[in-house]
Amino acid sequence: MPALLWNRSAFSLQESILRPRELAEFAKQQGFDTVCLTDHNVMHGQMAFFSLCRKYGLRILYGIELDVVRNDTKVSYLVYATSVTGYVAMMKLSSRISDTHQPLPFDDFITMCTDCRIVLPLSNCVFTDLLLKGQQEESFSLLNELTETIPNLSVMCGPVRSRLWDIANEKTVEYCHLHGIPFLIGNLATYPTAEHQQSFQILQAILQDKTLNDPALKVPNNQHLLTMEEYCFLPERMQKDTEKFVTECYFDMDFPSTSLPVYPSSQGVDNNEYLKSLCIAGLQKRRNNKPIPTEYKTRLLQELQVIQSMGFSDYFLIVWDFILFARKNNIYVGPGRGSAAGSLVAYCLGITHVDPIRYNLLFERFLNPQRITMPDIDVDFPDNKRDDVIAYVIRKYGEEHVCRIITFGTFGAKQVLRDVGKVLSVQTRMIDALIKTIPNDPKITLKEAYTQSKNFRELVHSDPVYVKLLQQAQPLEGLPRHRSVHAGGVVLSGKPLHDVVPLIRMDTNTVATQYSKDYIEPLGLIKMDFLSLRNLTTIDEIVQEIQLHTPLDILKIPLNDPKTYTLLSNADTVGVFQLETEGMKELLRKLKPQTFDEIAACLALYRPGPMENIPVYLKNRQNPSGITYPHEDLKPILQETYGVIVYQEQIMQISQKMAGFSLAKADILRKAMSKKDESILTGLKEEFIAGCIANKYDSKIAHSIYDLILKFADYGFNKSHSIVYSLVAYQMAYLKANFPLTFYRSLLNSAIGREDKLQDYIQEIKQKNIKVYPPDIMKSTNQFEITDDGLLIPLSCIKGVGATVCKTVLGTRSLHPFTDYIDTVVYLQNNKMNTGLIETAISAGAFDCFNLSRTTMKENIAKILQYAQLVKVEDNGQSAFDFGLVPKPALTTYADSSVDNMNKQYDALGFYPGQHPIEYVKKIHDIHAMTIKYAANTRGEVSVFVQISKIKEHRTKKGEIMCFAVGVDETGSMDFAIMPNTYNRYRTILYKGNYLLINGKIEDRNSCLAQNMIEYKLK
């Protein structure tokens, strides 16, 4: 029976649109019993394809298509493994070619092909090129030479494509039959059916950066999957050779696997004992050398027993070691992440920093002896130092045993429309218009956008161009588009990695697995996530700055600090991890948390789904005596969350309390509930009910409790994760409440280059009566700096002053300290700061230190540059200045306009460091009105004073002219709708830049229906 032997999937990036699932489904539907995935030089899809073949009951061969160079000629060969050894050889061949990104040298290729069959596909190879040119003798001479060099060489050819090709096939079949060379049936497939030819063309056009009608676009034809009928008409000899080849190559395979590297301890004891000794010492340190409660001793020994029985002692030692390295090298480490915070062992080792017993965190949520999975300890590091820790792990265990993990960027909904639109020559403005109607969800599909967005749907059907674009984009959506490195994933292996997984070099310093993260664990590879968290960088910077003058251990700050809870209750959480969104702020204002546990509950509740429970939580917190528990025995479990099931751990504890489940079995129930796994739930429900009855609970109560926890399984959050991330949030809130200047300095530095963020942060800072000073050419650096009573803006915030110019200015200032305006301009223009940039810096306020009006400084630049030429001298080939040669010029003075200065300062910086023009206008007219920020949170009648920044007229269905306007003040912007009658009354004063007091009505957030207006002019 024929087999599908030569198939490139979409993982042969941009060389195919054939998805592994489509290949498996096609084989099943057509009645092929054997199929092979032969991606070009890579093996990304092998394990996923293996799973699909198992699902569809197909036999799988393991193959790859490799580029090989011989005598300066590149030829693609197909390689098929005949054993596990052959599969390992394939991985090494792929790893080699993916490391150098060059074809394999022929001799190395032959040497490395252990337990493999090599096949020469005749289409598009040098052999066939010679044959089609009529050079039969040369072509057969080459084939004869290859058969002498390559053991068991086979050739492969597909169905007839033309009369000339038919002749070549006949001659080759005859030659192969005469010389005993197996001749196989195989046709390169890169797309599912002939109807997908155009989609493949579009992909190639994207790859070649051409339009579909470009005559230079080169796309091969007839590369679709062939049906059984299309194969079966070929000569019987070819069919027999193919069947024999398939039989020889087929084998059942367990993928090569590995285990953890052994932690290289030098303590003279085995690693189980070493881990135990570290934990005992760590627990004594955590308890400040006070007597250790029995509960802690018992829990520690139980955890160690589970860890050792599962063979994970080395895992904990490896994590402990790289965290120790980080701390020794002044790299801040997060307090933990995920369910690992439920481990007392992790707490004793310093891997996590919350006491799991104090917070009722469960070890079984992290490591369950009844549900064997790899441990998963993810660690957060500052984003600017994480790579240092990864580099340490690679050095310690060797590049052969540690590498990164690949991930694939795909054609997302917006990207595929843009790429396909360009290929189809659709106008850019049309593509932009369509993309703007897609909901802002990075995971949304085109089908979902069509269903969810009325605007998208209507625009698609408004023009046949859009219809065609959508039709042509959908087949490519979701296909792999490019490779990248998983954000923090690192794998470790006891065996050399190339014996377990194919590898690929991503850049000079980075090697990654060719398999994505979903296929790592089945190979025995341990994945660890070294995650970068920008907020840790912020905490680290703030703490280091504070420690210059005040002792501070961020891990030992009090968790009951009054200032911190005042800040949280006021929702003063801009810049605070996890607590910045408006919705979270609203929850904080209502809750006014008074304990650390309540902060954790906020993080757990403020998510889609659990939000439904917020009103009940707040009501019960307000009146704890009115809480009704499902059963009085559950009060100790639910009391901390006021009778509401908030955490997954509470579901486990309820199962333990009422049904007598072990925590390990309770975790299995919890997971089955969250995944709605009916195959497991049916039996567990019966056990749960029976357990409750055995524990003397009424059957009705047992059923109601089961239904309750089943309902909350979707809502429950991992308490361990909530606690540790609440600690990060609390740390940032504590720093903001107690060290505001240092906090804001770091926050502002993190936002340099993002003008909208800087404006928001600076507005908040000013509201707290902290002064923000404009850049100062004599004092500013490349970062925000703390002054006696405020913050100084860096030179790098001035438009046009990038890192290079800033470095030049600071270097010039260190060599020639600036003393007055004239000297400063002379030195700066000599060091590549042109007139335009100097004027921008003046507008930004950087030269205000010289006590001259900004207009005076700008108007006299030309005069100063003439003076510079007069005092310029050469000193050993270098330019210098002798200010004694000529008297300095007298400067002509000019007056400034306050509002003009403010607006030009905004243009130079992108934000207002000092007074906003509208504040100035309010003051001179003594206007008292709502700010936009306040009005945006109001419903009903409002009165706001704004400057108009945008006007757009619109014709209604009745043909009348109305207007949409945007107004701004010092706190933000607001949209205004001005209906035809109102617009007719006020259109003479509705223009960009004018100052208006607008009275109106707000029904929807941040949009106001204007009713009347009053104009105010500058005096």
Side-chain angles (χ1 to χ4, degrees), residues 4 14 30 89 119 133 190 209 237 248 286 397 431 461 568 596 670 711 732 734 758 761 791 812 838 844 869 883 930:
L4 296 170
Q14 298 194 14
Q30 287 293 317
V119 177
K133 290 175 183 176
T190 57
D209 195 23
R237 166 68 192 278
E248 291 172 348
R286 290 290 194 188
Y397 299 97
I431 300 172
H461 291 295
L568 293 172
F596 180 73
R670 186 268 320 159
K711 172 188 172 184
M732 295 196 77
Y734 177 88
L758 286 174
Y761 294 157
L791 293 158
T812 303
I838 291 173
Q869 292 300 313
F883 294 109
M930 296 178 179

Side-chain angles (χ1 to χ4, degrees), residues 183-242:
F183 199 105
L184 312 179
I185 306 170
N187 185 77
L188 172 60
T190 57
Y191 43 92
T193 68
E195 287 73 28
H196 289 84
Q197 164 73 17
Q198 188 170 37
S199 295
F200 182 64
Q201 280 185 304
I202 290 172
L203 180 73
Q204 294 306 299
I206 293 170
L207 178 65
Q208 298 174 38
D209 195 23
K210 292 180 170 59
T211 61
L212 203 57
N213 56 9
D214 189 331
L217 178 63
K218 305 297 182 185
V219 182
N221 296 315
N222 301 311
Q223 289 188 353
H224 58 278
L225 289 165
L226 299 182
T227 64
M228 184 70 74
E229 289 75 17
E230 289 174 291
Y231 273 115
C232 286
F233 79 88
L234 291 169
E236 184 179 351
R237 166 68 192 278
M238 293 175 67
Q239 295 186 38
K240 287 183 177 179
D241 282 354
T242 302

Side-chain angles (χ1 to χ4, degrees), residues 109 176 186 203 266 329 339 444 510 549 667 734 736 752 765 835 844 865 895 906 951:
F109 167 64
C176 289
L203 180 73
S266 59
N329 287 273
S339 56
I444 198 167
T510 308
H549 48 80
D667 180 56
Y734 177 88
K736 183 174 185 179
I752 290 176
I765 291 167
T835 300
L865 295 184
Y906 178 87
I951 292 282

Side-chain angles (χ1 to χ4, degrees), residues 376-387:
D376 188 11
I377 298 178
D378 301 336
V379 186
D380 290 317
F381 297 100
D383 60 356
N384 59 349
K385 295 180 180 178
R386 178 195 63 177
D387 289 346

